């Protein structure tokens, strides 16, 4: 497969869905579960950071630098699309046959700001998202942003967003200023999600400042690989820290088919057992289950940016057809042919409906 995904993404030349392509004719709705949006306010604040270099996060500047002083046409196009929650986005969804988007505030969300700013921004962003969804409840649903920098306030905001605004879970963009959620100071967040019975989506971010340098120097920091290294590490840290022994009903969603972890499971289980047996580190204490069993019991997976049958079928085989959901990753990924490819996955009609529709409806409790 040789195409320029970046040139294709957001170009608008992605083809138009056939008139006959309806949920009724195909037998399922297409629900895309990792779709990015941003408020004008957030874009403005990111622009300020770019102008003043006011944070210490090389990964941020690499990720958002494309939108710097003289943005390319593609950058302008992306920035327009990510903020447009009206006609343009709805038309783009129609053009690729997407019935509903689950909206996630784009990476790194509010996690780069100081705690009070980030907490206030999460609240106002979630209010705006709820308003957008109220206008188009059959086309949009969404997850709550929150600020891990202030864990107690974050837990309260997740509860407010779910119980009062009707959002369907929460999204975190991996590390927060180099910190990971396996630190117990963050666990009120997991307690809230578990009590509300809603998932936490761990969305990628650039590798943390501690590890980004060797990625940056070969331009491997973002979606090409760095996101998966960072986010897979985050998920694995949660597992070996015992988060799921403490919160056995906590549900985590990973995009990009599990950020590489499914492929690694045999080795992770084997090595983890040895590390624990030899008492190698206070950071790796015994767990009730094997790492792979937490991935099976507590995790769900989406296909964002990974429209490739061998990888999709591996994850379905390992964890079951009830654990894998469709995602596009609009507007970063916006390629009609990828939707076509997934329509033609070699699975039964019943499994296809689970993949595109009913898993998302069940896991996110969509209306
Ligand atoms: C990109 C991709 C940028 C994803 C993102 O946030 C992002 C990209 C700024 O390709 O430039 O979240 N992504 O989810 O794959
Ligand atoms: Mn994404």
């Amino acid at each position: 497969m040789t195409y320029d995904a970046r040139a294709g993404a957001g170009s608008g030349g992605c083809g138009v869905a056939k008139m006959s392509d309806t949920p009724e004719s195909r037998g399922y709705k297409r629900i895309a579960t990792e779709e990015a949006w941003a408020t004008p306010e957030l874009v403005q604040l990111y622009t300020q950071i770019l102008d003043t270099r006011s944070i210490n996060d090389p990964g941020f500047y690499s990720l958002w630098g494309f939108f710097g002083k003289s943005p390319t046409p593609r950058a302008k196009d992306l920035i327009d699309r990510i903020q447009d929650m009206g006609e343009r986005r709805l038309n783009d969804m129609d053009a690729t046959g997407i019935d509903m988007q689950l909206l996630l505030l784009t990476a790194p969300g509010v996690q780069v700001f100081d705690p009070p700013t980030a907490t206030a921004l999460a609240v106002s962003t979630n209010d705006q998202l709820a308003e957008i969804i109220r206008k188009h409840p059959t086309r949009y649903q969404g997850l709550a942003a929150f600020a891990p920098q202030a864990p107690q306030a974050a837990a309260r905001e997740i509860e407010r967003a779910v119980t009062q605004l009707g959002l369907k879970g929460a999204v975190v963009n991996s590390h927060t200023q180099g910190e990971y959620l396996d630190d117990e100071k963050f666990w009120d967040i997991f307690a809230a999600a578990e009590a509300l019975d809603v998932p936490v989506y761990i969305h990628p971010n650039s590798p943390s400042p501690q590890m980004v340098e060797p990625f940056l120097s070969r331009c491997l920091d973002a979606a090409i690989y760095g996101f998966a290294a960072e986010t897979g590490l985050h998920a694995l840290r949660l597992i070996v820290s015992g988060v799921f022994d403490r919160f056995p009903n906590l549900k985590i969603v990973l995009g990009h088919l599990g950020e590489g972890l499914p492929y690694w499971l045999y080795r992770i289980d084997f090595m983890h057992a040895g590390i624990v047996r030899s008492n190698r580190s206070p950071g790796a204490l015994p767990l009730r289950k094997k790492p792979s069993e937490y991935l099976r019991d507590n995790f769900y997976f989406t296909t964002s940016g990974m429209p490739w049958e061998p990888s999709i079928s591996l994850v379905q085989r390992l964890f079951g057809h009830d654990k894998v959901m469709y995602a596009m990753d609009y507007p970063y990924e916006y390629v009609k042919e990828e939707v076509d490819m997934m329509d033609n996955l070699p699975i039964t009609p019943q499994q296809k409906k689970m993949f595109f529709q009913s898993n998302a409806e069940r896991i996110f409790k969509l209306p």
Side-chain angles (χ1 to χ4, degrees):
M1 190 161 47
T2 54
Y3 63 85
D4 183 348
R6 291 208 144 246
S11 69
C14 61
V16 174
K18 292 192 295 285
M19 291 304 286
S20 59
D21 178 44
T22 64
E24 292 72 31
S25 69
R26 71 179 98 97
Y28 49 87
K29 280 189 211 167
R30 294 194 195 92
I31 302 174
T33 55
E34 189 199 299
E35 313 311 304
W37 80 292
T39 60
E41 191 183 12
L42 186 73
V43 172
Q44 173 59 34
L45 288 167
Y46 285 177
T47 307
Q48 252 173 49
I49 295 176
L50 290 167
D51 287 348
T52 58
R53 311 273 311 176
S54 56
I55 66 169
N56 179 22
D57 181 353
F60 175 86
Y61 296 106
S62 176
L63 195 57
W64 280 91
F66 76 92
F67 187 58
K69 291 232 153 53
S70 47
T72 62
R74 168 169 155 84
K76 282 212 200 77
D77 188 81
L78 261 180
I79 286 296
D80 288 347
R81 277 197 156 91
I82 205 163
Q83 300 176 70
D84 189 323
M85 306 312 290
E87 284 310 303
R88 183 166 192 182
R89 182 175 293 247
L90 293 166
N91 288 338
D92 283 352
M93 290 165 66
D94 291 342
T96 42
I98 302 304
D99 297 290
M100 178 186 279
Q101 286 191 343
L102 185 74
L103 296 164
L104 286 64
L105 187 68
T106 197
V110 304
Q111 291 162 249
V112 287
F113 304 105
D114 65 72
T117 305
T119 301
L121 206 53
V123 171
S124 75
T125 301
N126 292 335
D127 286 343
Q128 290 174 66
L129 181 56
E131 195 52 44
I132 289 160
I133 293 167
R134 232 172 272 129
K135 286 192 197 126
H136 302 282
T138 63
R139 307 303 305 277
Y140 299 140
Q141 292 290 324
L143 302 183
F146 64 93
Q149 301 92 308
Q152 283 76 33
R156 281 196 302 276
E157 177 55 15
I158 291 170
E159 182 176 9
R160 184 190 77 96
V162 170
T163 60
Q164 292 176 42
L165 301 180
L167 300 184
K168 302 305 180 189
V171 54
V172 65
N173 296 290
S174 200
H175 77 87
T176 302
Q177 301 175 29
E179 294 196 300
Y180 294 87
L181 300 184
D182 56 282
D183 187 323
E184 287 193 34
K185 74 180 182 188
F186 295 115
W187 287 14
D188 282 359
I189 292 163
F190 294 135
E194 189 189 50
L196 293 160
D197 192 28
V198 295
V200 178
Y201 201 125
I202 307 184
H203 184 275
N205 190 1
S206 307
S208 61
Q210 306 95 299
M211 68 168 177
V212 74
E213 205 39 61
F215 291 87
L216 283 175
S217 48
R218 289 289 183 194
C219 204
L220 296 171
D221 47 296
I224 184 171
Y225 187 71
F227 283 3
E230 159 68 24
T231 315
L233 170 70
H234 198 158
L236 205 46
R237 287 187 63 108
L238 294 185
I239 289 173
V240 303
S241 73
V243 164
F244 302 102
D245 286 341
R246 172 71 180 73
F247 303 105
N249 296 314
L250 178 61
K251 294 178 182 152
I252 301 288
V253 182
L254 291 178
H256 315 95
L257 287 173
E259 310 293 0
L261 294 179
Y263 191 87
W264 273 87
L265 278 187
Y266 176 86
R267 193 161 167 85
I268 290 169
D269 279 350
F270 186 89
M271 292 298 167
H272 184 260
I275 290 165
V276 169
R277 216 183 307 112
S278 60
N279 217 352
R280 273 240 287 282
S281 161
L285 297 172
L287 300 174
R288 295 209 188 113
K289 300 193 271 193
K290 294 192 241 176
S292 64
E293 293 173 326
Y294 297 101
L295 221 58
R296 178 195 67 197
D297 296 342
N298 296 90
F299 284 74
Y300 299 85
F301 307 91
T302 80
T303 60
S304 45
M306 303 282 277
W308 198 40
E309 191 276 333
S311 302
I312 296 171
S313 67
L314 172 68
V315 183
Q316 289 172 330
R317 223 181 111 189
L318 288 172
F319 303 118
H321 282 271
D322 56 333
K323 297 292 182 69
V324 185
M325 293 176 275
Y326 171 67
M328 179 182 279
D329 215 353
Y330 179 91
Y332 302 112
E333 198 82 17
Y334 180 49
V335 181
K336 170 75 168 78
E337 289 69 30
E338 295 183 355
V339 182
D340 298 340
M341 182 268 146
M342 293 203 246
D343 273 334
N344 293 314
L345 283 173
I347 55 180
T348 69
Q350 191 199 350
Q351 289 165 343
K352 206 166 289 173
K353 182 169 182 172
M354 294 165 77
F355 172 74
F356 272 112
Q357 176 182 348
S358 42
N359 290 340
E361 289 175 337
R362 184 184 79 254
I363 293 157
F364 296 107
K365 299 186 195 144
L366 303 180

